[in-house]
Short mmCIF file of all heavy atoms in Angstrom, two decimals:
data_model
loop_
_atom_site.label_atom_id
_atom_site.label_comp_id
_atom_site.label_asym_id
_atom_site.label_seq_id
_atom_site.Cartn_x
_atom_site.Cartn_y
_atom_site.Cartn_z
N MET R 21 66.05 68.37 131.76
CA MET R 21 66.94 69.30 132.47
C MET R 21 68.16 69.60 131.63
O MET R 21 68.74 68.69 131.03
CB MET R 21 67.38 68.69 133.81
CG MET R 21 66.55 69.11 134.97
SD MET R 21 67.19 68.28 136.45
CE MET R 21 67.18 69.63 137.47
N SER R 22 68.59 70.85 131.69
CA SER R 22 69.74 71.22 130.89
C SER R 22 71.02 71.03 131.71
O SER R 22 70.98 70.92 132.96
CB SER R 22 69.68 72.66 130.45
OG SER R 22 69.80 73.52 131.55
N ASP R 23 72.14 71.01 131.07
CA ASP R 23 73.43 70.89 131.74
C ASP R 23 73.66 72.08 132.66
O ASP R 23 74.33 71.96 133.68
CB ASP R 23 74.55 70.82 130.69
CG ASP R 23 75.17 69.40 130.59
OD1 ASP R 23 74.63 68.51 131.29
OD2 ASP R 23 76.10 69.23 129.84
N GLU R 24 73.26 73.24 132.26
CA GLU R 24 73.50 74.45 132.99
C GLU R 24 72.84 74.42 134.41
O GLU R 24 73.34 74.87 135.36
CB GLU R 24 73.01 75.68 132.29
CG GLU R 24 73.88 76.04 131.11
CD GLU R 24 73.41 77.29 130.40
OE1 GLU R 24 72.56 78.01 130.97
OE2 GLU R 24 73.79 77.54 129.28
N SER R 25 71.64 73.76 134.46
CA SER R 25 71.00 73.68 135.78
C SER R 25 71.67 72.66 136.68
O SER R 25 71.63 72.79 137.87
CB SER R 25 69.51 73.33 135.58
OG SER R 25 69.39 72.04 134.96
N LEU R 26 72.36 71.68 136.10
CA LEU R 26 73.10 70.71 136.88
C LEU R 26 74.42 71.19 137.31
O LEU R 26 74.92 70.84 138.39
CB LEU R 26 73.34 69.41 136.06
CG LEU R 26 72.04 68.66 135.67
CD1 LEU R 26 72.36 67.47 134.78
CD2 LEU R 26 71.29 68.17 136.92
N HIS R 27 75.10 72.07 136.52
CA HIS R 27 76.41 72.60 136.79
C HIS R 27 76.41 74.11 136.65
O HIS R 27 76.91 74.60 135.66
CB HIS R 27 77.39 71.99 135.83
CG HIS R 27 77.37 70.48 135.88
ND1 HIS R 27 77.88 69.78 136.96
CD2 HIS R 27 76.96 69.54 135.00
CE1 HIS R 27 77.73 68.46 136.73
NE2 HIS R 27 77.20 68.33 135.53
N PRO R 28 75.87 74.84 137.58
CA PRO R 28 75.82 76.30 137.46
C PRO R 28 77.19 76.97 137.43
O PRO R 28 77.37 78.01 136.78
CB PRO R 28 75.04 76.81 138.68
CG PRO R 28 75.11 75.67 139.67
CD PRO R 28 75.31 74.42 138.84
N LYS R 29 78.21 76.37 138.00
CA LYS R 29 79.54 76.97 137.96
C LYS R 29 80.11 76.94 136.58
O LYS R 29 80.81 77.82 136.15
CB LYS R 29 80.45 76.28 138.99
CG LYS R 29 80.15 76.63 140.41
CD LYS R 29 81.14 76.04 141.34
CE LYS R 29 80.77 76.40 142.77
NZ LYS R 29 81.78 75.87 143.72
N SER R 30 79.82 75.85 135.84
CA SER R 30 80.34 75.72 134.50
C SER R 30 79.75 76.77 133.58
O SER R 30 80.38 77.27 132.64
CB SER R 30 80.18 74.34 133.92
OG SER R 30 78.80 74.05 133.78
N ALA R 31 78.47 77.13 133.81
CA ALA R 31 77.81 78.17 133.04
C ALA R 31 78.42 79.50 133.31
O ALA R 31 78.61 80.33 132.42
CB ALA R 31 76.31 78.21 133.35
N ALA R 32 78.75 79.81 134.55
CA ALA R 32 79.37 81.06 134.91
C ALA R 32 80.79 81.14 134.33
O ALA R 32 81.26 82.21 133.95
CB ALA R 32 79.42 81.21 136.43
N ALA R 33 81.47 80.01 134.25
CA ALA R 33 82.83 80.00 133.72
C ALA R 33 82.84 80.23 132.27
O ALA R 33 83.81 80.71 131.72
CB ALA R 33 83.51 78.69 134.10
N ALA R 34 81.72 79.93 131.55
CA ALA R 34 81.65 80.08 130.14
C ALA R 34 81.47 81.53 129.74
O ALA R 34 81.72 81.91 128.60
CB ALA R 34 80.50 79.27 129.58
N ARG R 35 81.04 82.36 130.64
CA ARG R 35 80.87 83.81 130.38
C ARG R 35 82.23 84.47 130.20
O ARG R 35 83.18 84.15 130.89
CB ARG R 35 80.13 84.49 131.54
CG ARG R 35 78.66 84.24 131.52
CD ARG R 35 77.99 85.17 132.50
NE ARG R 35 77.66 84.32 133.64
CZ ARG R 35 77.43 84.74 134.85
NH1 ARG R 35 77.52 85.97 135.12
NH2 ARG R 35 77.12 83.90 135.79
N PRO R 36 82.30 85.48 129.27
CA PRO R 36 83.56 86.16 129.10
C PRO R 36 83.85 87.01 130.32
O PRO R 36 82.98 87.47 130.98
CB PRO R 36 83.29 87.00 127.87
CG PRO R 36 81.87 87.12 127.78
CD PRO R 36 81.27 85.89 128.36
N ILE R 37 85.14 87.21 130.59
CA ILE R 37 85.55 88.07 131.66
C ILE R 37 85.34 89.52 131.35
O ILE R 37 85.84 89.96 130.31
CB ILE R 37 87.01 87.81 132.01
CG1 ILE R 37 87.22 86.34 132.51
CG2 ILE R 37 87.50 88.79 133.16
CD1 ILE R 37 88.66 85.98 132.75
N ARG R 38 84.56 90.18 132.14
CA ARG R 38 84.39 91.65 131.90
C ARG R 38 85.56 92.41 132.36
O ARG R 38 86.18 92.01 133.39
CB ARG R 38 83.12 92.12 132.63
CG ARG R 38 81.86 91.42 132.25
CD ARG R 38 81.21 92.23 131.13
NE ARG R 38 79.99 91.53 130.72
CZ ARG R 38 79.14 92.12 129.95
NH1 ARG R 38 79.27 93.36 129.64
NH2 ARG R 38 78.08 91.49 129.60
N ARG R 39 85.93 93.46 131.69
CA ARG R 39 87.07 94.25 131.96
C ARG R 39 86.58 95.60 132.55
O ARG R 39 85.57 96.17 132.17
CB ARG R 39 87.96 94.50 130.79
CG ARG R 39 88.40 93.24 130.07
CD ARG R 39 89.17 92.33 130.95
NE ARG R 39 90.56 92.35 130.63
CZ ARG R 39 91.49 91.76 131.34
NH1 ARG R 39 91.22 91.16 132.36
NH2 ARG R 39 92.77 91.85 131.02
N CYS R 40 87.37 96.13 133.51
CA CYS R 40 87.06 97.48 134.07
C CYS R 40 87.18 98.54 132.95
O CYS R 40 88.21 98.53 132.23
CB CYS R 40 88.09 97.78 135.15
SG CYS R 40 87.94 99.42 135.88
N PRO R 41 86.21 99.41 132.75
CA PRO R 41 86.29 100.38 131.70
C PRO R 41 87.34 101.51 131.99
O PRO R 41 87.70 102.23 131.11
CB PRO R 41 84.88 100.99 131.66
CG PRO R 41 84.30 100.69 132.95
CD PRO R 41 84.93 99.45 133.46
N ILE R 42 87.89 101.59 133.21
CA ILE R 42 88.84 102.60 133.53
C ILE R 42 90.28 102.10 133.34
O ILE R 42 91.07 102.69 132.66
CB ILE R 42 88.67 103.07 135.00
CG1 ILE R 42 87.23 103.61 135.24
CG2 ILE R 42 89.70 104.14 135.35
CD1 ILE R 42 86.84 104.77 134.33
N CYS R 43 90.61 100.92 133.93
CA CYS R 43 91.96 100.44 133.90
C CYS R 43 92.17 99.12 133.16
O CYS R 43 93.26 98.60 132.97
CB CYS R 43 92.53 100.30 135.31
SG CYS R 43 91.71 98.98 136.22
N ASN R 44 91.09 98.55 132.69
CA ASN R 44 91.08 97.30 131.85
C ASN R 44 91.47 96.07 132.64
O ASN R 44 91.79 95.05 132.08
CB ASN R 44 91.97 97.50 130.64
CG ASN R 44 91.53 96.56 129.52
OD1 ASN R 44 90.35 96.20 129.44
ND2 ASN R 44 92.48 96.14 128.67
N ARG R 45 91.45 96.07 134.00
CA ARG R 45 91.68 94.88 134.79
C ARG R 45 90.36 94.13 134.85
O ARG R 45 89.33 94.67 134.58
CB ARG R 45 92.13 95.28 136.18
CG ARG R 45 93.55 95.71 136.26
CD ARG R 45 93.99 95.84 137.73
NE ARG R 45 94.48 97.21 137.89
CZ ARG R 45 94.49 97.86 138.99
NH1 ARG R 45 94.01 97.36 140.09
NH2 ARG R 45 94.94 99.12 139.04
N PRO R 46 90.39 92.86 135.22
CA PRO R 46 89.13 92.12 135.39
C PRO R 46 88.23 92.73 136.41
O PRO R 46 88.72 93.17 137.52
CB PRO R 46 89.60 90.70 135.86
CG PRO R 46 91.02 90.55 135.40
CD PRO R 46 91.56 92.01 135.40
N ALA R 47 86.97 92.81 136.13
CA ALA R 47 86.01 93.40 137.08
C ALA R 47 85.81 92.58 138.31
O ALA R 47 85.83 91.33 138.20
CB ALA R 47 84.65 93.64 136.37
N ALA R 48 85.59 93.25 139.42
CA ALA R 48 85.31 92.59 140.68
C ALA R 48 83.76 92.51 140.87
O ALA R 48 83.11 93.47 140.54
CB ALA R 48 85.98 93.30 141.86
N GLU R 49 83.30 91.46 141.45
CA GLU R 49 81.83 91.29 141.63
C GLU R 49 81.33 92.44 142.56
O GLU R 49 80.24 92.95 142.28
CB GLU R 49 81.54 89.91 142.24
CG GLU R 49 80.13 89.58 142.27
CD GLU R 49 79.49 89.49 140.89
OE1 GLU R 49 80.19 89.01 139.95
OE2 GLU R 49 78.29 89.83 140.72
N ALA R 50 82.04 92.81 143.56
CA ALA R 50 81.59 93.80 144.51
C ALA R 50 81.52 95.22 143.90
O ALA R 50 80.69 96.03 144.30
CB ALA R 50 82.47 93.84 145.72
N SER R 51 82.32 95.49 142.88
CA SER R 51 82.35 96.82 142.33
C SER R 51 81.96 96.86 140.84
O SER R 51 82.23 97.77 140.11
CB SER R 51 83.75 97.42 142.40
OG SER R 51 84.19 97.48 143.73
N ARG R 52 81.33 95.80 140.38
CA ARG R 52 81.03 95.59 139.00
C ARG R 52 80.32 96.78 138.38
O ARG R 52 79.49 97.34 139.04
CB ARG R 52 80.13 94.34 138.83
CG ARG R 52 80.10 93.81 137.45
CD ARG R 52 79.34 92.51 137.44
NE ARG R 52 78.07 92.65 138.04
CZ ARG R 52 77.02 91.85 137.80
NH1 ARG R 52 77.11 90.96 136.95
NH2 ARG R 52 75.88 92.06 138.44
N PRO R 53 80.63 97.29 137.24
CA PRO R 53 81.57 96.72 136.23
C PRO R 53 83.02 97.17 136.42
O PRO R 53 83.83 96.95 135.53
CB PRO R 53 81.02 97.33 134.93
CG PRO R 53 80.53 98.71 135.32
CD PRO R 53 79.97 98.48 136.70
N PHE R 54 83.35 97.77 137.56
CA PHE R 54 84.71 98.21 137.84
C PHE R 54 85.48 97.16 138.59
O PHE R 54 84.89 96.28 139.17
CB PHE R 54 84.68 99.58 138.52
CG PHE R 54 83.86 100.62 137.85
CD1 PHE R 54 82.58 100.89 138.21
CD2 PHE R 54 84.31 101.26 136.74
CE1 PHE R 54 81.78 101.81 137.55
CE2 PHE R 54 83.57 102.16 136.03
CZ PHE R 54 82.33 102.48 136.46
N CYS R 55 86.82 97.36 138.65
CA CYS R 55 87.63 96.36 139.39
C CYS R 55 87.77 96.77 140.86
O CYS R 55 88.12 95.94 141.64
CB CYS R 55 88.98 96.33 138.72
SG CYS R 55 89.99 97.85 138.94
N SER R 56 87.52 98.02 141.20
CA SER R 56 87.72 98.49 142.58
C SER R 56 86.89 99.72 142.84
O SER R 56 86.42 100.38 141.93
CB SER R 56 89.17 98.81 142.83
OG SER R 56 89.54 99.92 142.00
N PRO R 57 86.70 100.04 144.11
CA PRO R 57 85.99 101.32 144.42
C PRO R 57 86.73 102.51 143.88
O PRO R 57 86.12 103.55 143.53
CB PRO R 57 85.99 101.30 145.97
CG PRO R 57 86.07 99.88 146.35
CD PRO R 57 86.94 99.24 145.32
N ARG R 58 88.04 102.46 143.78
CA ARG R 58 88.82 103.62 143.22
C ARG R 58 88.37 103.88 141.79
O ARG R 58 88.11 105.03 141.42
CB ARG R 58 90.32 103.32 143.30
CG ARG R 58 91.09 104.45 142.70
CD ARG R 58 92.52 104.03 142.38
NE ARG R 58 93.21 105.02 141.64
CZ ARG R 58 93.12 105.23 140.31
NH1 ARG R 58 92.39 104.44 139.57
NH2 ARG R 58 93.73 106.17 139.71
N CYS R 59 88.35 102.82 140.96
CA CYS R 59 87.96 103.02 139.57
C CYS R 59 86.47 103.48 139.44
O CYS R 59 86.13 104.32 138.63
CB CYS R 59 88.17 101.77 138.75
SG CYS R 59 89.89 101.49 138.32
N ARG R 60 85.64 103.00 140.36
CA ARG R 60 84.23 103.43 140.37
C ARG R 60 84.17 104.90 140.70
O ARG R 60 83.40 105.67 140.06
CB ARG R 60 83.46 102.62 141.45
CG ARG R 60 82.00 102.91 141.43
CD ARG R 60 81.27 102.05 142.46
NE ARG R 60 81.82 102.35 143.79
CZ ARG R 60 81.99 101.45 144.72
NH1 ARG R 60 81.70 100.18 144.54
NH2 ARG R 60 82.48 101.78 145.88
N ASP R 61 84.98 105.41 141.65
CA ASP R 61 85.02 106.84 141.97
C ASP R 61 85.61 107.68 140.86
O ASP R 61 85.18 108.81 140.66
CB ASP R 61 85.82 107.06 143.33
CG ASP R 61 85.05 106.45 144.46
OD1 ASP R 61 83.88 106.20 144.35
OD2 ASP R 61 85.74 106.29 145.52
N VAL R 62 86.61 107.16 140.18
CA VAL R 62 87.20 107.85 139.00
C VAL R 62 86.10 108.10 137.95
O VAL R 62 85.97 109.20 137.41
CB VAL R 62 88.37 107.14 138.42
CG1 VAL R 62 88.79 107.65 137.08
CG2 VAL R 62 89.54 107.18 139.39
N ASP R 63 85.29 107.05 137.67
CA ASP R 63 84.28 107.22 136.67
C ASP R 63 83.16 108.20 137.16
O ASP R 63 82.75 109.02 136.40
CB ASP R 63 83.62 105.83 136.49
CG ASP R 63 82.54 105.86 135.37
OD1 ASP R 63 82.93 106.04 134.16
OD2 ASP R 63 81.34 105.68 135.70
N LEU R 64 82.85 108.14 138.43
CA LEU R 64 81.84 109.12 138.96
C LEU R 64 82.35 110.56 138.85
O LEU R 64 81.61 111.44 138.42
CB LEU R 64 81.53 108.79 140.43
CG LEU R 64 80.53 109.74 141.09
CD1 LEU R 64 79.20 109.73 140.44
CD2 LEU R 64 80.42 109.36 142.56
N ASN R 65 83.60 110.74 139.14
CA ASN R 65 84.19 112.08 139.00
C ASN R 65 84.18 112.58 137.56
O ASN R 65 83.89 113.76 137.24
CB ASN R 65 85.66 112.07 139.51
CG ASN R 65 86.30 113.43 139.43
OD1 ASN R 65 85.67 114.41 139.85
ND2 ASN R 65 87.43 113.54 138.84
N ARG R 66 84.41 111.64 136.59
CA ARG R 66 84.33 112.07 135.20
C ARG R 66 82.94 112.45 134.83
O ARG R 66 82.73 113.43 134.09
CB ARG R 66 84.81 110.90 134.32
CG ARG R 66 86.29 110.69 134.39
CD ARG R 66 86.73 109.53 133.54
NE ARG R 66 88.17 109.26 133.65
CZ ARG R 66 88.79 108.25 133.11
NH1 ARG R 66 88.12 107.39 132.32
NH2 ARG R 66 90.05 108.10 133.27
N TRP R 67 81.92 111.78 135.31
CA TRP R 67 80.52 112.17 135.03
C TRP R 67 80.19 113.54 135.69
O TRP R 67 79.65 114.39 135.03
CB TRP R 67 79.53 111.15 135.60
CG TRP R 67 79.38 109.92 134.70
CD1 TRP R 67 79.88 108.68 134.88
CD2 TRP R 67 78.64 109.93 133.50
NE1 TRP R 67 79.46 107.91 133.86
CE2 TRP R 67 78.70 108.61 133.00
CE3 TRP R 67 77.89 110.87 132.78
CZ2 TRP R 67 78.09 108.22 131.79
CZ3 TRP R 67 77.25 110.45 131.59
CH2 TRP R 67 77.36 109.21 131.11
N LEU R 68 80.62 113.74 136.93
CA LEU R 68 80.26 114.94 137.64
C LEU R 68 81.04 116.16 137.11
O LEU R 68 80.55 117.28 137.22
CB LEU R 68 80.49 114.76 139.14
CG LEU R 68 79.63 113.73 139.80
CD1 LEU R 68 80.04 113.57 141.30
CD2 LEU R 68 78.17 114.11 139.66
N SER R 69 82.21 115.95 136.57
CA SER R 69 83.09 117.06 136.11
C SER R 69 82.73 117.45 134.63
O SER R 69 83.22 118.42 134.12
CB SER R 69 84.53 116.77 136.24
OG SER R 69 84.90 115.71 135.36
N GLY R 70 81.87 116.61 133.98
CA GLY R 70 81.51 116.90 132.62
C GLY R 70 82.47 116.31 131.56
O GLY R 70 82.40 116.77 130.40
N SER R 71 83.32 115.38 131.92
CA SER R 71 84.23 114.83 130.98
C SER R 71 83.50 113.94 129.90
O SER R 71 83.93 113.81 128.81
CB SER R 71 85.32 113.93 131.69
OG SER R 71 86.14 114.74 132.46
N TYR R 72 82.40 113.34 130.36
CA TYR R 72 81.57 112.51 129.41
C TYR R 72 80.53 113.44 128.84
O TYR R 72 79.59 113.90 129.50
CB TYR R 72 80.89 111.39 130.16
CG TYR R 72 81.84 110.36 130.70
CD1 TYR R 72 81.60 109.78 131.92
CD2 TYR R 72 82.93 109.88 129.95
CE1 TYR R 72 82.42 108.83 132.46
CE2 TYR R 72 83.77 108.92 130.45
CZ TYR R 72 83.51 108.36 131.71
OH TYR R 72 84.34 107.40 132.20
N VAL R 73 80.70 113.85 127.59
CA VAL R 73 79.76 114.81 126.94
C VAL R 73 79.36 114.24 125.59
O VAL R 73 80.14 113.65 124.86
CB VAL R 73 80.48 116.14 126.76
CG1 VAL R 73 79.58 117.14 126.07
CG2 VAL R 73 80.96 116.72 128.08
N ILE R 74 78.12 114.39 125.27
CA ILE R 74 77.60 114.00 123.93
C ILE R 74 77.81 115.25 123.06
O ILE R 74 77.23 116.32 123.35
CB ILE R 74 76.14 113.59 123.95
CG1 ILE R 74 75.99 112.38 124.89
CG2 ILE R 74 75.60 113.33 122.60
CD1 ILE R 74 74.56 111.94 125.13
N PRO R 75 78.57 115.07 121.97
CA PRO R 75 78.80 116.26 121.10
C PRO R 75 77.54 116.69 120.44
O PRO R 75 76.67 115.88 120.06
CB PRO R 75 79.87 115.83 120.13
CG PRO R 75 79.87 114.33 120.21
CD PRO R 75 79.28 113.93 121.55
N ALA R 76 77.34 117.99 120.26
CA ALA R 76 76.19 118.54 119.62
C ALA R 76 76.63 119.38 118.42
O ALA R 76 77.73 119.93 118.42
CB ALA R 76 75.37 119.37 120.56
N THR R 77 75.76 119.48 117.42
CA THR R 77 76.03 120.38 116.30
C THR R 77 75.21 121.65 116.48
O THR R 77 74.27 121.71 117.21
CB THR R 77 75.65 119.64 114.96
OG1 THR R 77 74.29 119.33 115.00
CG2 THR R 77 76.47 118.39 114.80
N GLU R 78 75.58 122.65 115.70
CA GLU R 78 74.83 123.94 115.81
C GLU R 78 73.42 123.86 115.39
O GLU R 78 72.60 124.61 115.85
CB GLU R 78 75.63 125.01 115.00
CG GLU R 78 76.94 125.36 115.54
CD GLU R 78 77.65 126.46 114.79
OE1 GLU R 78 76.94 127.28 114.17
OE2 GLU R 78 78.84 126.50 114.82
N GLY R 79 73.07 122.90 114.53
CA GLY R 79 71.71 122.74 114.04
C GLY R 79 70.76 122.18 115.11
O GLY R 79 69.57 122.19 115.01
N ASP R 80 71.31 121.65 116.20
CA ASP R 80 70.47 121.03 117.25
C ASP R 80 69.62 122.06 117.97
O ASP R 80 68.52 121.69 118.43
CB ASP R 80 71.36 120.30 118.28
CG ASP R 80 71.93 119.00 117.76
OD1 ASP R 80 71.46 118.59 116.68
OD2 ASP R 80 72.84 118.44 118.40
N GLU R 81 70.03 123.30 118.07
CA GLU R 81 69.21 124.34 118.74
C GLU R 81 67.92 124.57 118.02
O GLU R 81 66.90 124.90 118.67
CB GLU R 81 70.04 125.60 118.88
CG GLU R 81 71.19 125.47 119.86
CD GLU R 81 72.02 126.75 119.92
OE1 GLU R 81 71.48 127.79 119.55
OE2 GLU R 81 73.16 126.69 120.39
N ASP R 82 67.85 124.46 116.72
CA ASP R 82 66.67 124.70 115.92
C ASP R 82 65.65 123.61 116.17
O ASP R 82 64.49 123.81 115.99
CB ASP R 82 67.01 124.77 114.44
CG ASP R 82 67.89 125.97 114.13
OD1 ASP R 82 67.84 126.95 114.88
OD2 ASP R 82 68.65 125.92 113.12
N ASP R 83 66.08 122.36 116.53
CA ASP R 83 65.23 121.28 116.70
C ASP R 83 64.37 121.40 118.04
O ASP R 83 63.38 120.72 118.15
CB ASP R 83 65.99 119.95 116.75
CG ASP R 83 66.68 119.67 115.38
OD1 ASP R 83 66.16 120.18 114.38
OD2 ASP R 83 67.65 118.93 115.36
N VAL R 84 64.78 122.24 118.93
CA VAL R 84 64.15 122.40 120.20
C VAL R 84 62.76 123.00 120.05
O VAL R 84 61.81 122.74 120.83
CB VAL R 84 65.03 123.18 121.17
CG1 VAL R 84 64.25 123.42 122.50
CG2 VAL R 84 66.31 122.46 121.40
N GLU R 85 62.56 123.91 119.18
CA GLU R 85 61.33 124.66 119.01
C GLU R 85 60.18 123.78 118.73
O GLU R 85 59.57 123.10 118.53
CB GLU R 85 61.44 125.63 117.83
CG GLU R 85 62.44 126.68 118.15
CD GLU R 85 62.63 127.59 116.95
OE1 GLU R 85 61.71 127.78 116.14
OE2 GLU R 85 63.72 128.14 116.80
#
């Protein structure tokens, strides 16, 4: 048996603290990977408004054919 199976809390404590990608506060378990529902909604709005875009070059249109 490993130490982790005997002490599951110590294994969880060894994990690095994840930070919210919006405000950099520690992430909350309920809204993970965000710290709050507000930051989760801010991220959703960025996706829906097109703020997150993968840049393309002009040569990419030729690759479609």
Side-chain angles (χ1 to χ4, degrees):
M21 263 180 136
S22 69
D23 252 4
E24 289 181 15
S25 63
L26 296 174
H27 305 287
K29 288 184 180 182
S30 65
R35 281 190 256 159
I37 296 173
R38 299 270 179 165
R39 305 300 254 171
C40 175
I42 303 300
C43 69
N44 207 28
R45 285 189 235 154
E49 190 65 32
S51 301
R52 199 173 49 156
F54 305 102
C55 67
S56 66
R58 179 198 171 277
C59 284
R60 186 179 59 219
D61 291 343
V62 167
D63 184 69
L64 178 61
N65 182 49
R66 288 179 183 175
W67 278 106
L68 296 176
S69 67
S71 294
Y72 294 138
V73 179
I74 299 172
T77 60
E78 290 184 28
D80 287 347
E81 292 178 18
D82 296 334
D83 295 335
V84 176
E85 295 176 28

